[in-house]
Amino acid sequence: MMLAWSFAARTVEEVTRLVRALGKHRYVHEVDHRIHWAVDAALAQHPTFAPHAAAFEAQRRREPGLDPTSRDPRLHRAATIDEVHTALTVFWSAEQDGATARERLLDVLVSAGLSVGEHEPWHGSPEEPPHPELLLLDWVLLPVDKLDAERHAGAIDALKDTDEESDPAVLIYQEGPILAAPELTRGARNGVLSEEFLVWSEEPYLYADYVFRGAAKAAKLGLPPCGYFDL
């Protein structure tokens, strides 16, 4: 089961600092950020995304069986944190370039026969996420039994008094919020997110909570995250 923590990250700079921090701390085993082809197509006039948009079109010509409306993993590409930052900066901009990018994204999705999303921004169902998700932000933490007594003393100390029942040998998976068309086109007002930024994590709760609090501090958010047991 996954639980969500809300973060006081409401601007693109705060979100970027948080996402960067979540991928750089000492408990991370793997970072996986991905961008859907429709984002590259919508931002094809931007030098960061133009080569990727062209590469995808070339791939479609080479592989005519590749369905751009499917859930084929090839429709997403690996992305750097800087690319994620640039995409979010453009889509959430209050300037004309933001409005143009948002309109272009909707046009790309409709032209391809893809949904523009029916849910309200930031209120998509995590159990039945919309298709397509346009930006994927995922992290994997080290298993509890792989934590080093010195290097990871903080989380080990946080887990001392827990009575949670979880397998100490399994990796812990974490996911960013749903970032589909509603979030990218209607999720910010004048450059400020309309809701707080959620990040989901598997248990152990205290392990994730410790990591999230450290990430929020590293991102200089000003407030700690709010988890299930803080409500």
Side-chain angles (χ1 to χ4, degrees), residues 40-119:
D40 286 327
L43 301 179
Q45 300 304 311
H46 193 289
T48 297
F49 302 94
H52 298 291
F56 181 73
E57 287 305 314
Q59 181 182 13
R60 289 184 65 182
R61 290 192 294 271
R62 292 193 310 270
E63 304 172 30
L66 180 61
D67 181 358
T69 68
S70 70
R71 298 179 186 270
D72 192 313
R74 291 175 294 174
L75 301 180
H76 286 85
R77 65 168 178 87
T80 67
I81 179 61
D82 290 334
E83 290 174 322
V84 170
H85 169 72
T86 301
L88 294 179
T89 298
V90 175
F91 284 122
W92 291 341
S93 171
E95 305 301 325
Q96 181 58 44
D97 64 334
T100 301
R102 293 189 289 271
E103 182 177 353
R104 175 61 180 156
L105 177 61
L106 296 176
D107 287 345
V108 167
L109 293 170
V110 171
S111 296
L114 286 162
S115 171
V116 297
E118 299 179 356
H119 65 275

Side-chain angles (χ1 to χ4, degrees), residues 71 115 117-119 124-126 128-133 178-183:
R71 298 179 186 270
S115 171
E118 299 179 356
H119 65 275
S125 169
E128 297 181 10
H131 172 69
E133 290 186 76
I178 289 170
L179 292 169
E183 286 71 32

Side-chain angles (χ1 to χ4, degrees), residues 11 25 27 42 45 52 55 63 93 105 113 137 153 164 171 181 200 206 224 227:
T11 68
H25 58 76
Y27 299 90
Q45 300 304 311
H52 298 291
E63 304 172 30
S93 171
L105 177 61
L137 306 175
E164 292 182 78
L171 296 165
W200 298 77
L206 292 178

Side-chain angles (χ1 to χ4, degrees), residues 1-5 164 199-203 205 212 228-229:
M1 180 180 72
M2 280 194 165
L3 296 174
W5 279 253
E164 292 182 78
V199 180
W200 298 77
S201 180
E202 293 181 328
E203 299 173 296
Y205 179 90
F212 285 157
Y228 179 80
F229 292 122

Side-chain angles (χ1 to χ4, degrees), residues 153-175:
I156 291 173
D157 186 61
L159 286 166
K160 275 193 314 186
D161 300 321
T162 184
D163 57 0
E164 292 182 78
E165 293 183 5
S166 57
D167 186 344
V170 302
L171 296 165
I172 290 89
Y173 289 84
Q174 299 183 332
E175 300 177 356

Side-chain angles (χ1 to χ4, degrees), residues 21 23-29 142 147 150-154 207 210:
K24 293 184 66 175
H25 58 76
R26 65 188 67 183
Y27 299 90
V28 169
H29 173 71
L142 292 167
L147 299 182
E150 294 185 6
R151 178 171 171 76
H152 305 118
Y207 182 8
Y210 177 83

